[in-house]
Amino acid sequence: MQFSSDVENMFTQEEIEDILKDEQYFYIEHAEKNWLNRYFKIKAIANETKVPSIISSISDMPHGSSNFKKSKTEMFAIKTIQASEWLEILHSTIHSLSPIEQKLIELKYLRKRNDGSRYSDEVIYPQLFVGKTRYYEIKKEALEILGRHLYGVFAERGFS
């Protein structure tokens, strides 16, 4: 208890609110930039059916050597599997949100119009039966939750 009271005395209420706001913005940006904005690209990789050229290469280099080339087929398979895992993690995280947050994320980030662009917020909030102000509150909260849950995922594997 002493520690928290010491911390409270170190910062003003305004400074604490600024820190929390910066943290919230960080997670929102992470969810959008690293996950939702990449959704369609990763989905295309996961669903790609093109088979790379199957040409074997023979090398006298040991398998652990940095000059050893992995086969194109192997690299393609690994990339497809990683993309599928990425999508599975994103979808399961989205399903952990409330139903209205799930619907908002789906309409805003996981669907596109016929011309390939995203739906605007003005088109989405009436579909959710909420006002504009409430829509932006829900959107901010959903993105922050996604960012917090997805932060650090795949970092240990180096998948990008």
Side-chain angles (χ1 to χ4, degrees):
M1 284 300 207
Q2 182 61 36
F3 176 74
S4 65
S5 95
D6 289 345
V7 170
E8 287 176 4
N9 293 329
M10 292 172 59
F11 299 102
T12 66
Q13 183 64 31
E14 187 176 297
E15 289 171 327
I16 292 171
E17 288 173 9
D18 285 344
I19 291 167
L20 293 176
K21 190 175 281 189
D22 288 345
E23 182 181 341
Q24 180 184 44
Y25 177 75
F26 171 81
Y27 287 115
I28 289 170
E29 184 177 20
H30 176 74
E32 286 185 313
K33 180 181 172 191
N34 297 314
W35 290 86
L36 298 171
N37 290 346
R38 299 172 63 203
Y39 175 75
F40 290 103
K41 180 181 177 186
I42 301 292
K43 186 176 179 184
I45 292 169
N47 294 331
E48 201 167 33
T49 56
K50 180 185 95 179
V51 177
S53 63
I54 304 174
I55 300 174
S56 296
S57 60
I58 300 173
S59 172
D60 59 353
M61 298 298 292
H63 187 66
S65 169
S66 62
N67 291 334
F68 182 77
K69 295 181 181 177
K70 291 185 179 179
S71 75
K72 290 179 183 177
T73 306
E74 180 184 3
M75 292 306 296
F76 178 80
I78 290 170
K79 195 171 188 177
T80 302
I81 291 167
Q82 286 178 328
S84 296
E85 287 177 0
W86 187 95
L87 286 170
E88 192 175 307
I89 288 168
L90 176 62
H91 285 292
S92 69
T93 305
I94 290 170
H95 289 297
S96 72
L97 299 172
S98 73
I100 194 166
E101 292 169 337
Q102 288 178 37
K103 187 73 173 168
L104 186 151
I105 295 297
E106 179 187 330
L107 292 171
K108 179 66 181 172
Y109 297 99
L110 309 184
R111 287 192 188 170
K112 285 189 176 181
R113 297 177 353 167
N114 291 337
D115 65 1
S117 63
R118 284 196 178 137
Y119 289 99
S120 69
D121 294 324
E122 289 74 23
V123 171
I124 297 170
Y125 71 79
Q127 293 180 44
L128 300 174
F129 304 106
V130 296
K132 190 175 187 175
T133 304
R134 181 68 183 128
Y135 169 81
Y136 285 110
E137 291 170 354
I138 295 167
K139 182 179 173 184
K140 186 175 11 176
E141 187 175 316
L143 290 172
E144 181 183 3
I145 292 168
L146 280 178
R148 286 182 184 278
H149 284 89
L150 295 170
Y151 182 74
V153 174
F154 288 116
E156 67 280 359
R157 300 184 207 179
F159 179 68
S160 53

